[in-house]
Amino acid sequence: MSALEEGDCEHIRMAAYEWRVRISGGDLERAERDVFEAWLTADPRHADAYDRATTVWAAYGALNRQNVDAALFEPNAADRVREIAGGFGGAADWTVRGFAVAGGAFAVLVLAVAAALFGGPGAPPRDLADNPIVAFETAVGEMREVTLTDRSVLTLGPSTRVHVAVSADRRRIDLINGAAVFAVAPDASRPFTVHADQFVARAVGTVFDVRHNGGVVRLSVLEGVVDAAHPVVVNNKPAGVFAQERLVKGQRIAAVADEGLSPVQPFEERTFASWRTGRMRYVGAPLSEIIADANRYAERPIEIDATLAGVETVKVTFSFDAADIDGMLGALPALFPVAIDRSDAQAIVIRAK
């Protein structure tokens, strides 16, 4: 896409956001509504952009102001917002153009940040692109301790993979899968972020655990303060606005792609990262998460039969010893409507009961 085309798409997106805000204010004259209808039908991209803006606006309406800070978690967003603002003569001009009718400067900020992030989270910040990304990986049943150049220490659980990228002003870890404890070296000038799919945790100097398996991300904080963020979910899909929660010592949170962030809950410190001693603990966990974790320790792969419908709606509180996978499998039929099929020498299959 050429720079001209990119600028044209940006203009369409921002026009769509402006129309969404103005229409939400409920005071459009008939002539203005006719102009909107003409704009909407003038180009297929207009209708698509307006649908996206409507989704973002719905997400915005579900949030408290203090729970939105997308720029905190995607460092490029602040620059993108300034670029967008520059194209309209600054935030003050936006208010004059009618944005104030539906929430003032905050509405402007939310929609602008959403526009900046609509491509979705996960891409490394631009200033990390030229720095080497180092990958660390563990095998089934293996644990490993890694000390980074900033003296932060990562304890990687079995079957875990992380990508590490460090620049002069940021430290970023991508937890591709598995579990890790992060003992973060204090450095206020370089925020420390952990990304797991669309979930982001941000800290400066603290100790926390992140588990990323079976479509569920779980964060527990042992020391310090950690900010957790995930896109707001509208109609079972993540929107371009992030919700955030601040966690302190003794608190945990979970995130699922089609559900968003769970409420913050307390936990007992003695259970923190219990996987380090081989004890797996769950509160409100689906079968897929339990099996994903079990496969990090199992000698023979465990599979969930594709025809097993509806089982993911069952959430359980459960624990098992990673050294006793057979015992864990034996307990599953009491928790889920499943049967364990061991007839295949290559894999254990969980089927409908």
Side-chain angles (χ1 to χ4, degrees), residues 169-221:
D169 60 354
R170 283 183 197 96
R171 300 168 288 175
R172 171 171 173 150
I173 312 295
D174 283 87
L175 179 60
I176 309 304
N177 59 267
V181 171
F182 302 89
V184 181
D187 186 347
S189 67
R190 290 196 293 175
F192 189 104
T193 59
V194 176
H195 298 244
D197 281 343
Q198 299 183 92
F199 177 86
V200 187
R202 181 181 186 273
V204 174
T206 184
V207 178
F208 61 97
D209 165 40
V210 180
R211 291 164 58 185
H212 178 202
N213 282 304
V216 181
V217 181
R218 298 185 185 276
L219 164 71
S220 301
V221 180

Side-chain angles (χ1 to χ4, degrees), residues 67-75 77-78 110 113-114 117 229 240-244:
N67 288 340
V68 177
D69 195 350
L72 178 66
F73 299 102
E74 288 294 329
V110 171
V113 169
L117 296 177
V241 178
F242 279 68
Q244 74 169 45

Side-chain angles (χ1 to χ4, degrees), residues 13-21 49 52-53 56 99 111 114-115 118:
R13 279 198 295 268
M14 291 310 301
Y17 298 144
E18 179 172 354
W19 278 119
R20 178 65 257 176
V21 177
R52 288 171 174 251
V56 171
F99 279 86
L111 295 181
F118 239 117

